[in-house]
């Protein structure tokens, strides 16, 4: 049930963040993205918070989803504990890496 | 295999979801170049903003739009007990996805080829 | 439809498989003369008794209440006895019949339902009544009875179970039929173990494994809606304690007239 | 005998309908650890699940609204108000329905156990339809003079069967699903066990037990138009008869007035209980002529005969004039959807008629077997007309004949009978086992004998198809041993049956494989049809009177002087039936025979 719930909550969060992300990245000028553009945006703390939350929810959603897809197979289902831990670790690693990246734009 | 609108929606949702996961990690890697400095970042980013990649982005848009709309459909069904409307909601999602993909994708291409 | 039309001869294409002699399933055609009102089951009976006695399927009641004859007809799961053949004859004058998908085939249309019944047992299908049993019936309102309709009308035919793609991947999933049964007991005001049952269905192979594929609704020959039952169980599982309390409260009045 | 081929249990129940499952569950509940149930189809597929209308019991929850007459609306009885129904009334209705052939001691037990059984169902989780204040709702049924049919929409049997099956699972009863019992072993009047095929593998095994109980259901498949399942081939009666047990009152076969035209599926009596009309070609409610008081809700034998007379005299509907209209339109959409949803589905699926908008074509259909294995009120099987018992052998439900239905059963009394006497048999079996019942040795090797018999069937390779014989038998039974009977017809029927029995020796079984061979079981079933059909015809020929469902045009009157007695058929040495007769138990002071008028 936890996976199921995580999947829905993160989906609702994504609805907000992904929409913002898509619109600002692709439909609001400038259309060519470079370091400066990103840095300009990320200099406001609101954007930073939004991006971090976005990153977190998308990772949770992605890994919960992948976990669901994999454990739907009976053979994998029997190893679901291990798979769950693997997903959690991947989420943490990717989150740290992503957060570091967002931080990098402060330079 | 037992097919129905529900099954098709599930299959598309799975495929789009997994494709998005794949993209997500690629995306993280691309952006992650920022950790190695401005130059590397701009190079990598330029590489993925060529017209070819714009086509790819349209496909991505289709996946995101379908997946998101279908996700909304599921959430609606979960929280408002709409199982009886599953078929009409499915077709609504398909049609809306098509419209948004065409309009949004068109915009991406127009922007890409006219340089914005 | 003219008389001529209903009395023509049609081809019934049957998937044949006897694991003792066949390496893999193959299709075999039979010609059957239709009569008005003939069902798929009648056609199978005609084939079995006059043409090929080895064609094997389950059946008993002939009118859609025993649940024996669920099979795969023209790509759909349904009851052979409730399906008029004329509705199924395709343009090439053929009806195609096979066993329920995703289940091991025992012979022709007979499938191994072991996992189906195991899952049914796992939800403890029987009522767990209160300790103090009144002399007369427990009081229940007609609304409470109506809420159980789908679960109570289920004939355990398995059409839903064997249409669900999750079952195709994973036989550990409880499946729509067992969840419908769990729903019956969880909602029944007389059952005293809603918590225990919600615990069972909240496990990893329970309601969370339903991906809302809806094949079960589309397949059910009785027009039932297992998905709605699953949705309800999911909601109740998330507020288990509150529901248990509400039910305990309701059970204090099981012995009293329903106020009108 | 190879040991791996023998399975042993304390109690073996054959049949997983209401009767068998009640017995098994009750025996287990009463402390018998090792109870096994064999069923040729999965337990939940048993024919009990097809019952629609209701189960009778005097609960006094509902009464007719004052001053609205016999078909007016019903209301719940407010607490404290006088009851409208009583045990005596239920008894009298049943006795009158049975045309005084029912044993009144058994009827009394059934009627008095009824409320308890229905309440037990309710406590076990059965979902009944409800009155406003939450009691079990009740409806009217043919031949019952008070609303006492307790129901769950129009799938009462389904709900009861699932409930009792779940309880049996809870009590750890062991089920052998899809095991076909092909032989019953009785030696020196003591039951030894049964021989059964595991249908899945084709293996034939001996199953030994201290007690064997039969709840194998009815034999409606002997008729062309029938409401009965394919599985209702009277295996139980034929097996018992072949093993030396007698059969009682086999000539009484009930025809239900409202089978769906051509198909025979039941349009439950509740259609009329809720207020439906029967209409002939001229648009007349012809029951006015035959039962001016009860009209459509007269007992089944009478209504079926009335329909048949209308049909025979050319007032039937449909192309061939063999139908009658059941008109429910005036009940209104809401009532039909709430009370008769399954029936509506059936009419739409098979007759392409929506009862909300059009009358439904129906015709009389073979429905219920009053006769069967004679038992005491505790399910113990009688060895003869003197009342001696066969040790360890029990029966209940439609396969048995206690006899509560006599010459004609009232609707909703048979779910009741199967439950009440199934439960009683269960208790008696528990007593019997706990009283030190022994496992008696099995003489010879019955399993091997049956294996050889099957091999012979396979090797036979004759020229006759089983189905042709079955179809001819059904025609004979319908035309000559049907609703109306006479000497000439019955004699010719017997003749036909003997010829068919001869033809059966020359059959060919098409499927000779071991795995899930339903062709084999259908062949065995056909042999059972031929066995007991002979008894129906012979018993009917002997009984020179008209009583209940047995209607002789050459003897149109009931004859209490000579025929107020049960027919007992024994298998004689030459393989033909030998008849003796057994007295009916009557409470002369309370329910003396009267003329039967409705
Ligand atoms: C359409 C219909 C509607 C009815 N409606 C009503 C109603 O509304 N009210 C009412 O009171 N009565 C009704 N009846 C009658 C009632 O349903 C039956 O009389 C009753 O259910 C019989 O129950 P049973 O337990 O004796 O047998 P069944 O339920 O018929 O069970 C027989 C069992 O025996 C098993 N069996 C048989 N032969 C073998 C074998 N050789 N080996 C192994 N197993 C075997 C079968 O698998 C099955 O499990 C109706 C009957 C019909 C046909
Ligand atoms: C607005 C955006 C989104 C919404 C509303 C949404 C909604 C959902 C929902 C409700 C599910 C559950 C489906 C199920 O249980 O069967 C789901 C599954 C999934 N989602 Fe999303 N999602 C969104 C975006 C994303 C993104 C961006 C990704 C990828 C990174 C993603 C990847 C997945 C995956 C892999 C699954 C599992 C697929 C499955 O179980 O069939 N989703 N999504
Ligand atoms: S829910 Fe429908 S399809 Fe599934 S077992 Fe029950 S009746 Fe059959
Ligand atoms: S088809 Fe299966 S996934 Fe859920 S909605 Fe039905 S159980
Ligand atoms: S034969 Fe009983 S459901 Fe079809």
């Amino acid at each position: 049930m936890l996976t199921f719930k995580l999947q829905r909550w993160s989906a609702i969060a994504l609805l907000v963040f992904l929409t913002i992300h898509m619109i600002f990245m692709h439909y609001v000028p400038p259309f060519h993205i470079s370091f400066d553009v990103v840095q300009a945006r990320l200099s406001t703390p609101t954007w930073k918070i939004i991006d971090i939350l976005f990153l977190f929810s998308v990772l949770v959603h992605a890994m919960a989803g992948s976990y669901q897809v994999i454990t739907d197979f009976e053979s994998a289902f029997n190893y679901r504990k291990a798979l769950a831990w693997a997903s959690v670790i991947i989420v943490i690693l990717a989150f740290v890496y992503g957060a570091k990246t967002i931080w990098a734009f402060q330079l | 295999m037992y097919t129905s609108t529900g099954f098709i929606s599930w299959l598309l949702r799975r495929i789009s979801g997994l494709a998005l996961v794949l993209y997500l990690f690629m995306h993280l890697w691309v952006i992650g170049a920022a950790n190695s400095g401005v130059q590397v970042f701009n190079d990598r980013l330029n590489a993925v903003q060529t017209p070819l990649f714009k086509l790819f982005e349209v496909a991505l848009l289709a996946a995101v739009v379908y997946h998101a709309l279908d996700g909304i459909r599921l959430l609606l069904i979960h929280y408002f007990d709409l199982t009886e409307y599953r078929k009409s909601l499915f077709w609504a999602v398909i049609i809306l996805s098509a419209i948004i993909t065409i309009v949004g994708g068109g915009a991406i291409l127009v922007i890409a080829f006219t340089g914005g | 439809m003219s008389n001529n039309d209903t009395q023509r001869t049609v081809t019934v294409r049957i998937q044949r498989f006897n694991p003792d002699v066949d390496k893999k399933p193959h299709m075999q055609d039979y010609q059957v003369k239709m009569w008005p009102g003939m069902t798929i089951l009648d056609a199978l009976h005609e084939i079995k008794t006059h043409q090929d006695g080895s064609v094997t399927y389950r059946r008993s009641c002939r009118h859609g209440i025993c649940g024996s004859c669920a099979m795969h007809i023209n790509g759909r799961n349904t009851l052979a006895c409730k399906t008029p053949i004329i509705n199924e004859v395709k343009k090439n004058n053929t009806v195609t019949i096979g066993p329920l998908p995703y289940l091991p085939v025992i012979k022709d249309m007979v499938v191994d339902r072991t996992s189906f019944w195991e899952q049914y047992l796992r939800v403890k299908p029987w009522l767990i009544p209160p300790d103090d049993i009144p002399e007369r019936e427990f009081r229940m309102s007609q609304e409470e009875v109506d809420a159980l309709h789908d679960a109570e009308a289920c004939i355990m035919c398995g059409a839903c179970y064997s249409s669900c793609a999750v079952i195709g991947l994973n036989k550990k999933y409880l499946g729509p039929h067992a969840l419908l049964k769990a729903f019956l007991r969880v909602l029944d005001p007389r059952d005293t173990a809603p918590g225990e049952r919600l615990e069972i269905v909240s496990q990893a192979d329970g309601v969370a494994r339903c991906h809302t594929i809806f094949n079960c609704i589309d397949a059910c020959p009785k027009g039932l809606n297992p998905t709605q039952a699953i949705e309800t169980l999911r909601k109740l599982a998330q507020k288990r304690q509150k529901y248990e309390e509400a039910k305990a409260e309701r059970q204090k009045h099981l012995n009293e007239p329903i106020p009108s | 005998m190879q040991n791996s081929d023998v399975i042993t249990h304390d109690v073996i129940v054959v049949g997983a309908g209401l009767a068998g499952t009640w017995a098994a569950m009750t025996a287990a509940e009463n402390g018998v650890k090792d109870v096994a149930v064999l069923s040729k189809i999965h337990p939940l597929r048993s024919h009990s699940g097809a019952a629609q209308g209701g189960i009778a019991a005097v609960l006094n929850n509902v009464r007719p609204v004052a001053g609205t007459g016999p078909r007016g609306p019903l209301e719940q009885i407010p607490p404290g108000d006088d009851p409208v129904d009583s045990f005596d009334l239920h008894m009298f209705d049943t006795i009158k329905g049975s045309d005084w052939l029912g044993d009144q001691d058994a009827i009394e037990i059934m009627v008095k156990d009824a409320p308890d059984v229905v309440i037990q169902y309710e406590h076990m989780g059965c979902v009944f339809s409800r009155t406003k204040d939450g009691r079990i709702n009740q409806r009217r049924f043919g031949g019952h003079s008070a609303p006492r049919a307790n129901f769950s929409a129009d799938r009462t049997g389904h709900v009861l069967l699932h409930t009792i099956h779940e309880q049996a699972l809870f009590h750890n009863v062991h089920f052998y699903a899809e095991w076909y019992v092909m032989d019953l072993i009785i030696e020196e009047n003591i039951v030894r066990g049964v021989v059964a095929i595991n249908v899945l593998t084709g293996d034939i095994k001996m199953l030994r037990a201290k007690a064997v109980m039969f709840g194998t259901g009815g034999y409606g498949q002997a008729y062309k138009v029938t409401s009965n399942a394919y599985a209702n081939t009277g295996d139980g009666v034929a097996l018992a008869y072949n093993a030396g047990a007698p059969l009682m009152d086999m000539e009484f076969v009930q025809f239900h007035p409202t089978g769906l035209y051509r198909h025979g599926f039941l349009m439950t009596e509740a259609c009329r209980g809720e207020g439906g009309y029967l209409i002939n070609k001229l648009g007349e409610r012809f029951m006015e002529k035959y039962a001016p008081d009860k009209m459509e809700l007269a007992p089944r034998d009478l209504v079926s005969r009335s329909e048949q007379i209308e049909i025979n005299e050319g007032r039937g509907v449909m192309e061939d004039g063999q139908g009658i209209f059941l008109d429910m339109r005036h009940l209104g959409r809401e009532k039909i959807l709430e009370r008769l949803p399954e029936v509506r589905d059936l009419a739409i699926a098979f007759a392409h008629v929506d009862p909300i908008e059009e009358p439904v074509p129906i015709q009389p259909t073979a429905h219920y077997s009053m006769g069967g294995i004679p038992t005491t009120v505790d399910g113990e099987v009688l060895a003869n007309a003197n009342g001696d018992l066969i040790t360890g052998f029990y029966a209940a439900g439609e396969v048995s004949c206690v006899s509560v239905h006599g010459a004609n059963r009232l609707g909703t009394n048979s779910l009741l009978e199967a439950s009440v006497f199934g439960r009683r048999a269960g208790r008696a079996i528990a007593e019997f086992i706990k009283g030190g019942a022994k496992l008696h040795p099995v003489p010879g090797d019955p399993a091997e004998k049956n294996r050889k018999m099957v091999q012979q069937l396979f090797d036979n390779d004759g020229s006759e198809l089983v189905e042709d014989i079955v179809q001819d038998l059904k025609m004979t039974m319908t035309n000559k041993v049907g609703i109306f009977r006479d000497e000439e017809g019955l004699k010719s029927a017997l003749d036909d049956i003997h010829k068919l029995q001869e033809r059966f020796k020359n059959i060919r079984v098409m499927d000779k494989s071991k795995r899930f061979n339903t062709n084999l079981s259908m062949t065995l079933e056909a042999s059972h049809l031929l066995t007991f059909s002979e008894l129906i015809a012979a018993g009917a020929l002997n009984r020179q009177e008209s009583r209940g469902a047995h209607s002789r045009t050459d003897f149109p009157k009931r004859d209490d002087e000579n025929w107020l007695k049960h027919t007992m058929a024994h298998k004689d040495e030459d393989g033909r039936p030998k008849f003796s007769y057994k007295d009916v138990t009557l409470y002369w002071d309370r329910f003396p025979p009267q003329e039967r008028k409705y």
Side-chain angles (χ1 to χ4, degrees), chain A residues 7-8 11 14-15 18 58 61-62 65 69, chain B residues 13-14 17-18 20-21 67-68 71 74, chain C residues 211:
Chain A
Q7 188 97 47
R8 314 292 130 165
L14 278 181
L15 266 180
L18 191 66
V58 79
H61 188 85
V69 173
Chain B
R13 164 161 90 244
R14 282 235 132 147
L18 289 176
L20 289 174
V21 173
H67 187 95
L74 281 193
Chain C
H211 295 298

Side-chain angles (χ1 to χ4, degrees), chain C residues 214-229:
Chain C
F214 294 127
N215 278 358
C216 52
I217 308 182
D218 292 340
C220 179
K222 302 298 276 184
L224 310 180
N225 186 337
T227 317
Q228 189 54 55

Side-chain angles (χ1 to χ4, degrees), chain B residues 1-7 9-10 13-14 73-74 77-84 86-87, chain C residues 72 75-77 101-102 163 165 169 211-215 217-219 225 227-228 231 234-235:
Chain B
M1 206 149 44
Y2 199 95
T3 52
S4 68
T5 52
F7 178 78
S9 78
W10 172 72
R13 164 161 90 244
R14 282 235 132 147
R73 163 174 164 271
L74 281 193
I77 289 168
H78 288 323
Y79 300 115
F80 299 98
D81 293 342
L82 300 179
T83 55
E84 293 302 330
R86 62 192 181 279
K87 298 224 156 117
Chain C
H72 202 56
R76 267 183 331 120
N77 289 353
Y102 305 137
S163 70
L169 297 172
H211 295 298
T212 338
I213 295 172
F214 294 127
N215 278 358
I217 308 182
D218 292 340
N225 186 337
T227 317
Q228 189 54 55
E231 296 288 3
R234 277 202 277 247
K235 279 185 203 139

